């Protein structure tokens, strides 16, 4: 590489635990107001809208589709790449519906903030992959997400098991 060539950007590694999530994706807690709402400045400064390579049905309105998602700007290249890999592998028909990406909310089975609040998680096929069940997520789809650095919620145990959920972090 010559002195004038730009260095390749280092690959983003999935953070481990809350402290690393905050260090990587920002201290969202500093942007929560006294009314428990998220300051819109965090959203505009931290999130990006990215186009997906194929449309997905909305889980809450099967007559509608989504072709864009809002996610954290640092994973804005990773999500489309994952879905391009799913499409290239001929697995697009295994994505029946989109259940959400960015959503400022607590975890469904706890009190801590969901990784959806940072825009680093996505839910797919929630109708057949309900929380607390084994679900039926395609193993090749899971493999593609794992290769990109995602943790699959179907590996969790008990009531937290969440086979619709993929998150770009570990230990949280």
């Amino acid at each position: 590489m010559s002195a004038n060539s730009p260095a390749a950007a280092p690959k983003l590694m999935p953070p481990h635990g809350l402290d690393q999530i905050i260090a990587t994706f920002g201290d969202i807690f500093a942007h929560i107001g006294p009314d428990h709402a998220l300051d819109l400045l965090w959203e505009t400064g931290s999130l990006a809208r990215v186009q997906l390579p194929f449309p997905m049905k909305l889980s809450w309105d099967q007559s509608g589709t989504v072709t864009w998602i809002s996610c954290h700007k640092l994973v804005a290249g990773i999500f489309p790449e994952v879905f391009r890999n799913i499409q290239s592998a001929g697995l697009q028909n295994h994505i029946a519906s989109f259940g959400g990406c960015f959503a400022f909310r607590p975890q469904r089975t706890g009190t801590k903030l969901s990784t959806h609040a940072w825009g680093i998680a996505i839910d797919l096929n929630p109708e057949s992959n309900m929380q607390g069940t084994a679900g039926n997520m395609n193993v090749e789809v899971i493999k593609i997400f794992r290769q990109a650095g995602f943790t699959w919620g179907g590996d969790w145990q008990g009531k937290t098991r969440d086979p619709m959920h993929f998150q770009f972090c570990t230990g949280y």
Side-chain angles (χ1 to χ4, degrees):
M1 179 177 355
S2 74
N4 294 332
S5 299
K11 182 178 174 175
L12 181 65
M13 299 302 295
H16 181 78
L18 180 59
D19 290 343
Q20 286 186 16
I21 291 170
I22 290 170
T24 304
F25 298 110
D27 186 359
I28 198 169
F29 299 101
H31 299 277
I32 300 173
D35 60 352
H36 304 288
L38 181 61
D39 184 341
L40 289 178
L41 290 176
W42 187 89
E43 291 184 44
T44 58
S46 300
L47 298 178
R49 253 186 100 210
V50 297
Q51 188 168 17
L52 300 171
F54 58 87
M56 292 183 278
K57 288 190 179 295
L58 296 170
S59 65
W60 59 91
D61 178 5
Q62 292 283 307
S63 68
T65 60
V66 62
T67 56
W68 293 81
I69 62 171
S70 290
C71 64
H72 196 282
K73 63 185 177 184
L74 294 180
V75 293
I78 297 172
F79 275 115
E81 179 184 358
V82 166
F83 286 103
R84 281 191 300 272
N85 291 342
I86 288 169
Q87 187 177 43
S88 294
L91 299 169
Q92 162 179 344
N93 62 330
H94 291 281
I95 307 296
S97 65
F98 169 78
C101 186
F102 168 74
F104 181 69
R105 63 172 177 81
Q107 292 177 333
R108 288 189 304 255
T109 59
T111 57
K112 65 183 181 178
L113 208 52
S114 170
T115 52
H116 287 282
W118 281 274
I120 61 170
I122 194 165
D123 289 341
L124 300 171
N125 304 346
E127 302 83 4
S128 59
N129 289 279
M130 291 173 272
Q131 192 159 19
T133 71
N136 68 351
M137 189 63 67
N138 178 278
V139 295
E140 293 301 314
V141 168
I142 296 165
K143 182 178 174 183
I144 290 170
F145 270 96
R146 283 185 174 141
Q147 288 171 340
F150 285 81
T151 297
W152 178 51
D155 288 332
W156 302 334
Q157 300 301 312
K159 68 178 185 173
T160 63
R161 188 174 197 178
D162 198 0
M164 74 179 84
H165 183 87
F166 296 91
Q167 63 184 33
F168 193 79
C169 65
T170 62
Y172 183 80

